[in-house]
PDB file of all heavy atoms in Angstrom:
ATOM      1  N   VAL A 120       5.458 -10.508  -7.087  1.00 93.00           N
ATOM      2  CA  VAL A 120       4.927  -9.153  -6.938  1.00 93.00           C
ATOM      3  C   VAL A 120       4.928  -8.410  -8.271  1.00 93.00           C
ATOM      4  O   VAL A 120       4.036  -7.609  -8.552  1.00 93.00           O
ATOM      5  CB  VAL A 120       5.741  -8.376  -5.879  1.00 93.00           C
ATOM      6  CG1 VAL A 120       5.350  -6.907  -5.842  1.00 93.00           C
ATOM      7  CG2 VAL A 120       5.537  -8.997  -4.504  1.00 93.00           C
ATOM      8  N   ALA A 121       5.912  -8.692  -9.122  1.00 91.00           N
ATOM      9  CA  ALA A 121       6.048  -7.973 -10.393  1.00 91.00           C
ATOM     10  C   ALA A 121       4.816  -8.087 -11.275  1.00 91.00           C
ATOM     11  O   ALA A 121       4.517  -7.187 -12.059  1.00 91.00           O
ATOM     12  CB  ALA A 121       7.274  -8.468 -11.153  1.00 91.00           C
ATOM     13  N   GLY A 122       4.071  -9.186 -11.167  1.00 88.00           N
ATOM     14  CA  GLY A 122       2.924  -9.385 -12.033  1.00 88.00           C
ATOM     15  C   GLY A 122       1.626  -8.830 -11.487  1.00 88.00           C
ATOM     16  O   GLY A 122       0.572  -8.954 -12.133  1.00 88.00           O
ATOM     17  N   LEU A 123       1.659  -8.183 -10.323  1.00 92.00           N
ATOM     18  CA  LEU A 123       0.438  -7.695  -9.694  1.00 92.00           C
ATOM     19  C   LEU A 123       0.117  -6.271 -10.120  1.00 92.00           C
ATOM     20  O   LEU A 123       1.026  -5.481 -10.423  1.00 92.00           O
ATOM     21  CB  LEU A 123       0.583  -7.728  -8.170  1.00 92.00           C
ATOM     22  CG  LEU A 123       0.835  -9.090  -7.520  1.00 92.00           C
ATOM     23  CD1 LEU A 123       0.976  -8.909  -6.010  1.00 92.00           C
ATOM     24  CD2 LEU A 123      -0.279 -10.064  -7.856  1.00 92.00           C
ATOM     25  N   PRO A 124      -1.173  -5.888 -10.134  1.00 91.00           N
ATOM     26  CA  PRO A 124      -1.534  -4.482 -10.352  1.00 91.00           C
ATOM     27  C   PRO A 124      -0.870  -3.595  -9.306  1.00 91.00           C
ATOM     28  O   PRO A 124      -0.575  -4.039  -8.182  1.00 91.00           O
ATOM     29  CB  PRO A 124      -3.057  -4.485 -10.196  1.00 91.00           C
ATOM     30  CG  PRO A 124      -3.468  -5.887 -10.475  1.00 91.00           C
ATOM     31  CD  PRO A 124      -2.353  -6.755  -9.965  1.00 91.00           C
ATOM     32  N   PHE A 125      -0.683  -2.327  -9.654  1.00 88.00           N
ATOM     33  CA  PHE A 125       0.075  -1.416  -8.795  1.00 88.00           C
ATOM     34  C   PHE A 125      -0.546  -1.287  -7.406  1.00 88.00           C
ATOM     35  O   PHE A 125       0.157  -1.245  -6.400  1.00 88.00           O
ATOM     36  CB  PHE A 125       0.161  -0.035  -9.463  1.00 88.00           C
ATOM     37  CG  PHE A 125       1.081   0.917  -8.761  1.00 88.00           C
ATOM     38  CD1 PHE A 125       2.438   0.666  -8.699  1.00 88.00           C
ATOM     39  CD2 PHE A 125       0.585   2.059  -8.162  1.00 88.00           C
ATOM     40  CE1 PHE A 125       3.296   1.546  -8.052  1.00 88.00           C
ATOM     41  CE2 PHE A 125       1.421   2.948  -7.514  1.00 88.00           C
ATOM     42  CZ  PHE A 125       2.787   2.690  -7.463  1.00 88.00           C
ATOM     43  N   GLY A 126      -1.877  -1.235  -7.344  1.00 88.00           N
ATOM     44  CA  GLY A 126      -2.529  -1.118  -6.046  1.00 88.00           C
ATOM     45  C   GLY A 126      -2.220  -2.286  -5.132  1.00 88.00           C
ATOM     46  O   GLY A 126      -2.035  -2.112  -3.920  1.00 88.00           O
ATOM     47  N   TRP A 127      -2.154  -3.487  -5.689  1.00 91.00           N
ATOM     48  CA  TRP A 127      -1.807  -4.668  -4.900  1.00 91.00           C
ATOM     49  C   TRP A 127      -0.342  -4.638  -4.476  1.00 91.00           C
ATOM     50  O   TRP A 127       0.002  -5.079  -3.381  1.00 91.00           O
ATOM     51  CB  TRP A 127      -2.102  -5.930  -5.699  1.00 91.00           C
ATOM     52  CG  TRP A 127      -3.561  -6.238  -5.760  1.00 91.00           C
ATOM     53  CD1 TRP A 127      -4.424  -5.956  -6.777  1.00 91.00           C
ATOM     54  CD2 TRP A 127      -4.349  -6.853  -4.735  1.00 91.00           C
ATOM     55  NE1 TRP A 127      -5.694  -6.367  -6.460  1.00 91.00           N
ATOM     56  CE2 TRP A 127      -5.682  -6.929  -5.219  1.00 91.00           C
ATOM     57  CE3 TRP A 127      -4.060  -7.365  -3.472  1.00 91.00           C
ATOM     58  CZ2 TRP A 127      -6.711  -7.473  -4.466  1.00 91.00           C
ATOM     59  CZ3 TRP A 127      -5.084  -7.925  -2.723  1.00 91.00           C
ATOM     60  CH2 TRP A 127      -6.396  -7.974  -3.220  1.00 91.00           C
ATOM     61  N   GLN A 128       0.529  -4.134  -5.354  1.00 91.00           N
ATOM     62  CA  GLN A 128       1.936  -4.014  -4.976  1.00 91.00           C
ATOM     63  C   GLN A 128       2.100  -3.095  -3.763  1.00 91.00           C
ATOM     64  O   GLN A 128       2.900  -3.367  -2.860  1.00 91.00           O
ATOM     65  CB  GLN A 128       2.752  -3.482  -6.159  1.00 91.00           C
ATOM     66  CG  GLN A 128       2.873  -4.455  -7.314  1.00 91.00           C
ATOM     67  CD  GLN A 128       3.818  -3.962  -8.387  1.00 91.00           C
ATOM     68  OE1 GLN A 128       4.786  -3.258  -8.108  1.00 91.00           O
ATOM     69  NE2 GLN A 128       3.543  -4.320  -9.632  1.00 91.00           N
ATOM     70  N   LYS A 129       1.325  -2.010  -3.740  1.00 90.00           N
ATOM     71  CA  LYS A 129       1.398  -1.100  -2.593  1.00 90.00           C
ATOM     72  C   LYS A 129       0.902  -1.781  -1.326  1.00 90.00           C
ATOM     73  O   LYS A 129       1.428  -1.559  -0.227  1.00 90.00           O
ATOM     74  CB  LYS A 129       0.581   0.161  -2.873  1.00 90.00           C
ATOM     75  CG  LYS A 129       1.234   1.102  -3.880  1.00 90.00           C
ATOM     76  CD  LYS A 129       1.012   2.542  -3.509  1.00 90.00           C
ATOM     77  CE  LYS A 129       1.969   3.458  -4.241  1.00 90.00           C
ATOM     78  NZ  LYS A 129       1.883   4.852  -3.779  1.00 90.00           N
ATOM     79  N   ARG A 130      -0.099  -2.638  -1.466  1.00 92.00           N
ATOM     80  CA  ARG A 130      -0.615  -3.369  -0.309  1.00 92.00           C
ATOM     81  C   ARG A 130       0.445  -4.340   0.214  1.00 92.00           C
ATOM     82  O   ARG A 130       0.586  -4.527   1.427  1.00 92.00           O
ATOM     83  CB  ARG A 130      -1.891  -4.108  -0.704  1.00 92.00           C
ATOM     84  CG  ARG A 130      -2.649  -4.694   0.453  1.00 92.00           C
ATOM     85  CD  ARG A 130      -4.022  -5.172   0.036  1.00 92.00           C
ATOM     86  NE  ARG A 130      -4.935  -4.074  -0.200  1.00 92.00           N
ATOM     87  CZ  ARG A 130      -6.176  -4.005   0.284  1.00 92.00           C
ATOM     88  NH1 ARG A 130      -6.641  -4.994   1.022  1.00 92.00           N
ATOM     89  NH2 ARG A 130      -6.942  -2.979   0.027  1.00 92.00           N
ATOM     90  N   VAL A 131       1.194  -4.960  -0.696  1.00 93.00           N
ATOM     91  CA  VAL A 131       2.268  -5.869  -0.288  1.00 93.00           C
ATOM     92  C   VAL A 131       3.350  -5.102   0.468  1.00 93.00           C
ATOM     93  O   VAL A 131       3.871  -5.574   1.490  1.00 93.00           O
ATOM     94  CB  VAL A 131       2.871  -6.586  -1.512  1.00 93.00           C
ATOM     95  CG1 VAL A 131       4.109  -7.391  -1.114  1.00 93.00           C
ATOM     96  CG2 VAL A 131       1.837  -7.501  -2.157  1.00 93.00           C
ATOM     97  N   GLU A 132       3.691  -3.916  -0.022  1.00 91.00           N
ATOM     98  CA  GLU A 132       4.712  -3.124   0.664  1.00 91.00           C
ATOM     99  C   GLU A 132       4.248  -2.738   2.063  1.00 91.00           C
ATOM    100  O   GLU A 132       5.025  -2.749   3.020  1.00 91.00           O
ATOM    101  CB  GLU A 132       5.053  -1.870  -0.150  1.00 91.00           C
ATOM    102  CG  GLU A 132       6.194  -1.095   0.465  1.00 91.00           C
ATOM    103  CD  GLU A 132       6.686   0.042  -0.401  1.00 91.00           C
ATOM    104  OE1 GLU A 132       5.895   0.566  -1.204  1.00 91.00           O
ATOM    105  OE2 GLU A 132       7.862   0.416  -0.264  1.00 91.00           O
ATOM    106  N   LEU A 133       2.955  -2.414   2.191  1.00 93.00           N
ATOM    107  CA  LEU A 133       2.413  -2.111   3.508  1.00 93.00           C
ATOM    108  C   LEU A 133       2.493  -3.336   4.413  1.00 93.00           C
ATOM    109  O   LEU A 133       2.854  -3.233   5.595  1.00 93.00           O
ATOM    110  CB  LEU A 133       0.968  -1.638   3.375  1.00 93.00           C
ATOM    111  CG  LEU A 133       0.236  -1.335   4.684  1.00 93.00           C
ATOM    112  CD1 LEU A 133       0.945  -0.238   5.458  1.00 93.00           C
ATOM    113  CD2 LEU A 133      -1.209  -0.937   4.400  1.00 93.00           C
ATOM    114  N   ALA A 134       2.173  -4.505   3.873  1.00 94.00           N
ATOM    115  CA  ALA A 134       2.256  -5.742   4.658  1.00 94.00           C
ATOM    116  C   ALA A 134       3.678  -5.986   5.133  1.00 94.00           C
ATOM    117  O   ALA A 134       3.902  -6.390   6.287  1.00 94.00           O
ATOM    118  CB  ALA A 134       1.768  -6.922   3.820  1.00 94.00           C
ATOM    119  N   ARG A 135       4.640  -5.761   4.254  1.00 92.00           N
ATOM    120  CA  ARG A 135       6.038  -5.976   4.642  1.00 92.00           C
ATOM    121  C   ARG A 135       6.450  -5.031   5.765  1.00 92.00           C
ATOM    122  O   ARG A 135       7.165  -5.421   6.697  1.00 92.00           O
ATOM    123  CB  ARG A 135       6.951  -5.789   3.429  1.00 92.00           C
ATOM    124  CG  ARG A 135       8.391  -6.199   3.701  1.00 92.00           C
ATOM    125  CD  ARG A 135       9.247  -6.048   2.465  1.00 92.00           C
ATOM    126  NE  ARG A 135       9.252  -4.673   1.986  1.00 92.00           N
ATOM    127  CZ  ARG A 135       9.832  -4.274   0.859  1.00 92.00           C
ATOM    128  NH1 ARG A 135      10.424  -5.161   0.084  1.00 92.00           N
ATOM    129  NH2 ARG A 135       9.816  -3.010   0.500  1.00 92.00           N
ATOM    130  N   ALA A 136       5.987  -3.772   5.702  1.00 92.00           N
ATOM    131  CA  ALA A 136       6.297  -2.812   6.764  1.00 92.00           C
ATOM    132  C   ALA A 136       5.625  -3.223   8.070  1.00 92.00           C
ATOM    133  O   ALA A 136       6.234  -3.146   9.144  1.00 92.00           O
ATOM    134  CB  ALA A 136       5.856  -1.414   6.350  1.00 92.00           C
ATOM    135  N   LEU A 137       4.380  -3.675   8.005  1.00 95.00           N
ATOM    136  CA  LEU A 137       3.675  -4.102   9.207  1.00 95.00           C
ATOM    137  C   LEU A 137       4.302  -5.357   9.817  1.00 95.00           C
ATOM    138  O   LEU A 137       4.205  -5.580  11.031  1.00 95.00           O
ATOM    139  CB  LEU A 137       2.204  -4.358   8.893  1.00 95.00           C
ATOM    140  CG  LEU A 137       1.334  -3.127   8.658  1.00 95.00           C
ATOM    141  CD1 LEU A 137      -0.041  -3.534   8.158  1.00 95.00           C
ATOM    142  CD2 LEU A 137       1.217  -2.292   9.937  1.00 95.00           C
ATOM    143  N   ALA A 138       4.949  -6.176   8.993  1.00 93.00           N
ATOM    144  CA  ALA A 138       5.576  -7.404   9.486  1.00 93.00           C
ATOM    145  C   ALA A 138       6.737  -7.131  10.427  1.00 93.00           C
ATOM    146  O   ALA A 138       7.151  -8.027  11.176  1.00 93.00           O
ATOM    147  CB  ALA A 138       6.048  -8.265   8.309  1.00 93.00           C
ATOM    148  N   THR A 139       7.266  -5.918  10.412  1.00 91.00           N
ATOM    149  CA  THR A 139       8.344  -5.556  11.336  1.00 91.00           C
ATOM    150  C   THR A 139       7.815  -5.225  12.728  1.00 91.00           C
ATOM    151  O   THR A 139       8.588  -4.888  13.616  1.00 91.00           O
ATOM    152  CB  THR A 139       9.152  -4.355  10.807  1.00 91.00           C
ATOM    153  OG1 THR A 139       8.315  -3.184  10.789  1.00 91.00           O
ATOM    154  CG2 THR A 139       9.687  -4.625   9.413  1.00 91.00           C
ATOM    155  N   ASN A 140       6.482  -5.304  12.894  1.00 92.00           N
ATOM    156  CA  ASN A 140       5.831  -5.011  14.175  1.00 92.00           C
ATOM    157  C   ASN A 140       6.123  -3.587  14.642  1.00 92.00           C
ATOM    158  O   ASN A 140       6.605  -3.365  15.759  1.00 92.00           O
ATOM    159  CB  ASN A 140       6.268  -6.016  15.249  1.00 92.00           C
ATOM    160  CG  ASN A 140       5.405  -5.936  16.496  1.00 92.00           C
ATOM    161  OD1 ASN A 140       4.225  -5.594  16.424  1.00 92.00           O
ATOM    162  ND2 ASN A 140       5.995  -6.245  17.645  1.00 92.00           N
ATOM    163  N   PRO A 141       5.813  -2.586  13.814  1.00 94.00           N
ATOM    164  CA  PRO A 141       6.153  -1.214  14.171  1.00 94.00           C
ATOM    165  C   PRO A 141       5.183  -0.608  15.180  1.00 94.00           C
ATOM    166  O   PRO A 141       3.997  -0.954  15.211  1.00 94.00           O
ATOM    167  CB  PRO A 141       6.028  -0.479  12.828  1.00 94.00           C
ATOM    168  CG  PRO A 141       4.942  -1.230  12.109  1.00 94.00           C
ATOM    169  CD  PRO A 141       5.145  -2.670  12.500  1.00 94.00           C
ATOM    170  N   ALA A 142       5.701   0.299  16.002  1.00 96.00           N
ATOM    171  CA  ALA A 142       4.838   1.115  16.858  1.00 96.00           C
ATOM    172  C   ALA A 142       4.256   2.271  16.047  1.00 96.00           C
ATOM    173  O   ALA A 142       3.140   2.720  16.309  1.00 96.00           O
ATOM    174  CB  ALA A 142       5.634   1.658  18.042  1.00 96.00           C
ATOM    175  N   ILE A 143       5.027   2.752  15.076  1.00 96.00           N
ATOM    176  CA  ILE A 143       4.590   3.822  14.182  1.00 96.00           C
ATOM    177  C   ILE A 143       5.011   3.467  12.771  1.00 96.00           C
ATOM    178  O   ILE A 143       6.077   2.872  12.560  1.00 96.00           O
ATOM    179  CB  ILE A 143       5.181   5.190  14.600  1.00 96.00           C
ATOM    180  CG1 ILE A 143       4.666   6.295  13.666  1.00 96.00           C
ATOM    181  CG2 ILE A 143       6.708   5.170  14.641  1.00 96.00           C
ATOM    182  CD1 ILE A 143       5.013   7.696  14.144  1.00 96.00           C
ATOM    183  N   ILE A 144       4.160   3.796  11.809  1.00 96.00           N
ATOM    184  CA  ILE A 144       4.506   3.552  10.420  1.00 96.00           C
ATOM    185  C   ILE A 144       4.442   4.871   9.658  1.00 96.00           C
ATOM    186  O   ILE A 144       3.522   5.674   9.841  1.00 96.00           O
ATOM    187  CB  ILE A 144       3.584   2.487   9.789  1.00 96.00           C
ATOM    188  CG1 ILE A 144       4.116   2.046   8.436  1.00 96.00           C
ATOM    189  CG2 ILE A 144       2.141   2.956   9.704  1.00 96.00           C
ATOM    190  CD1 ILE A 144       3.498   0.754   7.931  1.00 96.00           C
ATOM    191  N   LEU A 145       5.448   5.127   8.853  1.00 95.00           N
ATOM    192  CA  LEU A 145       5.554   6.334   8.039  1.00 95.00           C
ATOM    193  C   LEU A 145       5.099   5.982   6.630  1.00 95.00           C
ATOM    194  O   LEU A 145       5.761   5.205   5.945  1.00 95.00           O
ATOM    195  CB  LEU A 145       6.996   6.841   8.024  1.00 95.00           C
ATOM    196  CG  LEU A 145       7.749   6.851   9.370  1.00 95.00           C
ATOM    197  CD1 LEU A 145       9.192   7.331   9.164  1.00 95.00           C
ATOM    198  CD2 LEU A 145       7.040   7.717  10.396  1.00 95.00           C
ATOM    199  N   LEU A 146       3.977   6.534   6.212  1.00 95.00           N
ATOM    200  CA  LEU A 146       3.416   6.239   4.893  1.00 95.00           C
ATOM    201  C   LEU A 146       3.756   7.369   3.940  1.00 95.00           C
ATOM    202  O   LEU A 146       3.289   8.501   4.104  1.00 95.00           O
ATOM    203  CB  LEU A 146       1.895   6.068   4.984  1.00 95.00           C
ATOM    204  CG  LEU A 146       1.375   4.975   5.916  1.00 95.00           C
ATOM    205  CD1 LEU A 146      -0.158   4.951   5.901  1.00 95.00           C
ATOM    206  CD2 LEU A 146       1.933   3.614   5.521  1.00 95.00           C
ATOM    207  N   ASP A 147       4.577   7.073   2.936  1.00 91.00           N
ATOM    208  CA  ASP A 147       5.054   8.080   1.989  1.00 91.00           C
ATOM    209  C   ASP A 147       4.244   8.002   0.702  1.00 91.00           C
ATOM    210  O   ASP A 147       4.441   7.099  -0.114  1.00 91.00           O
ATOM    211  CB  ASP A 147       6.542   7.846   1.703  1.00 91.00           C
ATOM    212  CG  ASP A 147       7.162   8.983   0.900  1.00 91.00           C
ATOM    213  OD1 ASP A 147       6.448   9.959   0.587  1.00 91.00           O
ATOM    214  OD2 ASP A 147       8.364   8.894   0.592  1.00 91.00           O
ATOM    215  N   GLU A 148       3.295   8.927   0.527  1.00 91.00           N
ATOM    216  CA  GLU A 148       2.455   9.014  -0.671  1.00 91.00           C
ATOM    217  C   GLU A 148       1.808   7.663  -1.014  1.00 91.00           C
ATOM    218  O   GLU A 148       1.922   7.170  -2.144  1.00 91.00           O
ATOM    219  CB  GLU A 148       3.284   9.503  -1.868  1.00 91.00           C
ATOM    220  CG  GLU A 148       3.943  10.861  -1.673  1.00 91.00           C
ATOM    221  CD  GLU A 148       2.986  12.027  -1.861  1.00 91.00           C
ATOM    222  OE1 GLU A 148       1.795  11.777  -2.154  1.00 91.00           O
ATOM    223  OE2 GLU A 148       3.424  13.173  -1.699  1.00 91.00           O
ATOM    224  N   PRO A 149       1.108   7.037  -0.068  1.00 92.00           N
ATOM    225  CA  PRO A 149       0.537   5.715  -0.353  1.00 92.00           C
ATOM    226  C   PRO A 149      -0.561   5.739  -1.415  1.00 92.00           C
ATOM    227  O   PRO A 149      -0.856   4.703  -2.015  1.00 92.00           O
ATOM    228  CB  PRO A 149      -0.017   5.277   1.005  1.00 92.00           C
ATOM    229  CG  PRO A 149      -0.319   6.552   1.716  1.00 92.00           C
ATOM    230  CD  PRO A 149       0.778   7.491   1.295  1.00 92.00           C
ATOM    231  N   ALA A 150      -1.186   6.896  -1.658  1.00 92.00           N
ATOM    232  CA  ALA A 150      -2.271   6.970  -2.645  1.00 92.00           C
ATOM    233  C   ALA A 150      -1.767   7.225  -4.057  1.00 92.00           C
ATOM    234  O   ALA A 150      -2.553   7.189  -5.004  1.00 92.00           O
ATOM    235  CB  ALA A 150      -3.271   8.061  -2.258  1.00 92.00           C
ATOM    236  N   GLY A 151      -0.472   7.467  -4.216  1.00 87.00           N
ATOM    237  CA  GLY A 151       0.079   7.741  -5.540  1.00 87.00           C
ATOM    238  C   GLY A 151      -0.161   6.596  -6.508  1.00 87.00           C
ATOM    239  O   GLY A 151       0.169   5.451  -6.222  1.00 87.00           O
ATOM    240  N   GLY A 152      -0.755   6.891  -7.665  1.00 87.00           N
ATOM    241  CA  GLY A 152      -0.998   5.874  -8.676  1.00 87.00           C
ATOM    242  C   GLY A 152      -2.254   5.058  -8.479  1.00 87.00           C
ATOM    243  O   GLY A 152      -2.543   4.164  -9.278  1.00 87.00           O
ATOM    244  N   LEU A 153      -3.032   5.331  -7.408  1.00 89.00           N
ATOM    245  CA  LEU A 153      -4.243   4.574  -7.143  1.00 89.00           C
ATOM    246  C   LEU A 153      -5.460   5.269  -7.759  1.00 89.00           C
ATOM    247  O   LEU A 153      -5.499   6.494  -7.873  1.00 89.00           O
ATOM    248  CB  LEU A 153      -4.470   4.421  -5.635  1.00 89.00           C
ATOM    249  CG  LEU A 153      -3.349   3.759  -4.824  1.00 89.00           C
ATOM    250  CD1 LEU A 153      -3.783   3.605  -3.372  1.00 89.00           C
ATOM    251  CD2 LEU A 153      -2.954   2.408  -5.416  1.00 89.00           C
ATOM    252  N   ASN A 154      -6.455   4.487  -8.134  1.00 91.00           N
ATOM    253  CA  ASN A 154      -7.685   5.081  -8.648  1.00 91.00           C
ATOM    254  C   ASN A 154      -8.602   5.461  -7.480  1.00 91.00           C
ATOM    255  O   ASN A 154      -8.283   5.226  -6.313  1.00 91.00           O
ATOM    256  CB  ASN A 154      -8.392   4.136  -9.625  1.00 91.00           C
ATOM    257  CG  ASN A 154      -8.816   2.812  -8.984  1.00 91.00           C
ATOM    258  OD1 ASN A 154      -9.250   2.772  -7.843  1.00 91.00           O
ATOM    259  ND2 ASN A 154      -8.685   1.714  -9.744  1.00 91.00           N
ATOM    260  N   HIS A 155      -9.751   6.058  -7.816  1.00 92.00           N
ATOM    261  CA  HIS A 155     -10.638   6.592  -6.780  1.00 92.00           C
ATOM    262  C   HIS A 155     -11.080   5.518  -5.789  1.00 92.00           C
ATOM    263  O   HIS A 155     -11.033   5.731  -4.567  1.00 92.00           O
ATOM    264  CB  HIS A 155     -11.871   7.224  -7.445  1.00 92.00           C
ATOM    265  CG  HIS A 155     -12.883   7.728  -6.468  1.00 92.00           C
ATOM    266  ND1 HIS A 155     -12.709   8.898  -5.750  1.00 92.00           N
ATOM    267  CD2 HIS A 155     -14.087   7.212  -6.061  1.00 92.00           C
ATOM    268  CE1 HIS A 155     -13.760   9.085  -4.950  1.00 92.00           C
ATOM    269  NE2 HIS A 155     -14.601   8.088  -5.123  1.00 92.00           N
ATOM    270  N   ASP A 156     -11.495   4.367  -6.291  1.00 92.00           N
ATOM    271  CA  ASP A 156     -11.954   3.295  -5.406  1.00 92.00           C
ATOM    272  C   ASP A 156     -10.822   2.786  -4.518  1.00 92.00           C
ATOM    273  O   ASP A 156     -11.032   2.486  -3.330  1.00 92.00           O
ATOM    274  CB  ASP A 156     -12.536   2.136  -6.221  1.00 92.00           C
ATOM    275  CG  ASP A 156     -13.860   2.501  -6.883  1.00 92.00           C
ATOM    276  OD1 ASP A 156     -14.506   3.473  -6.433  1.00 92.00           O
ATOM    277  OD2 ASP A 156     -14.244   1.824  -7.857  1.00 92.00           O
ATOM    278  N   GLU A 157      -9.619   2.683  -5.090  1.00 92.00           N
ATOM    279  CA  GLU A 157      -8.473   2.196  -4.317  1.00 92.00           C
ATOM    280  C   GLU A 157      -8.094   3.188  -3.221  1.00 92.00           C
ATOM    281  O   GLU A 157      -7.680   2.789  -2.130  1.00 92.00           O
ATOM    282  CB  GLU A 157      -7.290   1.942  -5.244  1.00 92.00           C
ATOM    283  CG  GLU A 157      -7.469   0.713  -6.141  1.00 92.00           C
ATOM    284  CD  GLU A 157      -6.392   0.596  -7.200  1.00 92.00           C
ATOM    285  OE1 GLU A 157      -5.826   1.641  -7.611  1.00 92.00           O
ATOM    286  OE2 GLU A 157      -6.120  -0.535  -7.647  1.00 92.00           O
ATOM    287  N   VAL A 158      -8.236   4.495  -3.504  1.00 94.00           N
ATOM    288  CA  VAL A 158      -7.948   5.509  -2.484  1.00 94.00           C
ATOM    289  C   VAL A 158      -8.938   5.392  -1.327  1.00 94.00           C
ATOM    290  O   VAL A 158      -8.560   5.495  -0.153  1.00 94.00           O
ATOM    291  CB  VAL A 158      -7.973   6.924  -3.093  1.00 94.00           C
ATOM    292  CG1 VAL A 158      -7.886   7.986  -1.994  1.00 94.00           C
ATOM    293  CG2 VAL A 158      -6.821   7.108  -4.075  1.00 94.00           C
ATOM    294  N   GLU A 159     -10.210   5.162  -1.647  1.00 93.00           N
ATOM    295  CA  GLU A 159     -11.202   4.976  -0.589  1.00 93.00           C
ATOM    296  C   GLU A 159     -10.873   3.751   0.265  1.00 93.00           C
ATOM    297  O   GLU A 159     -10.969   3.784   1.495  1.00 93.00           O
ATOM    298  CB  GLU A 159     -12.598   4.841  -1.188  1.00 93.00           C
ATOM    299  CG  GLU A 159     -13.189   6.154  -1.682  1.00 93.00           C
ATOM    300  CD  GLU A 159     -14.678   6.043  -1.959  1.00 93.00           C
ATOM    301  OE1 GLU A 159     -15.223   4.923  -1.829  1.00 93.00           O
ATOM    302  OE2 GLU A 159     -15.296   7.071  -2.287  1.00 93.00           O
ATOM    303  N   GLU A 160     -10.473   2.658  -0.387  1.00 93.00           N
ATOM    304  CA  GLU A 160     -10.091   1.448   0.342  1.00 93.00           C
ATOM    305  C   GLU A 160      -8.867   1.706   1.221  1.00 93.00           C
ATOM    306  O   GLU A 160      -8.776   1.191   2.341  1.00 93.00           O
ATOM    307  CB  GLU A 160      -9.790   0.318  -0.641  1.00 93.00           C
ATOM    308  CG  GLU A 160     -11.010  -0.217  -1.385  1.00 93.00           C
ATOM    309  CD  GLU A 160     -10.635  -1.230  -2.443  1.00 93.00           C
ATOM    310  OE1 GLU A 160      -9.436  -1.568  -2.547  1.00 93.00           O
ATOM    311  OE2 GLU A 160     -11.548  -1.700  -3.156  1.00 93.00           O
TER     312      GLU A 160
END
């Protein structure tokens, strides 16, 4: 993970949270550090 761009690292963290099979997920500033295209995605 250390060698990935920041946007991909955030996607990995989201994947790890989803892997817990949550009913609700709390997203804390997920757009921080992302560029315009990444925010749209």
Side-chain angles (χ1 to χ4, degrees):
V120 172
L123 299 179
F125 188 65
W127 285 99
Q128 291 187 31
K129 287 217 163 187
R130 190 169 286 228
V131 172
E132 185 172 27
L133 178 60
R135 189 178 59 186
L137 287 172
T139 66
N140 192 30
I143 182 170
I144 191 164
L145 316 178
L146 301 179
D147 189 1
E148 301 281 0
L153 303 184
N154 62 38
H155 176 76
D156 290 340
E157 288 171 333
V158 171
E159 285 194 356
E160 291 174 4

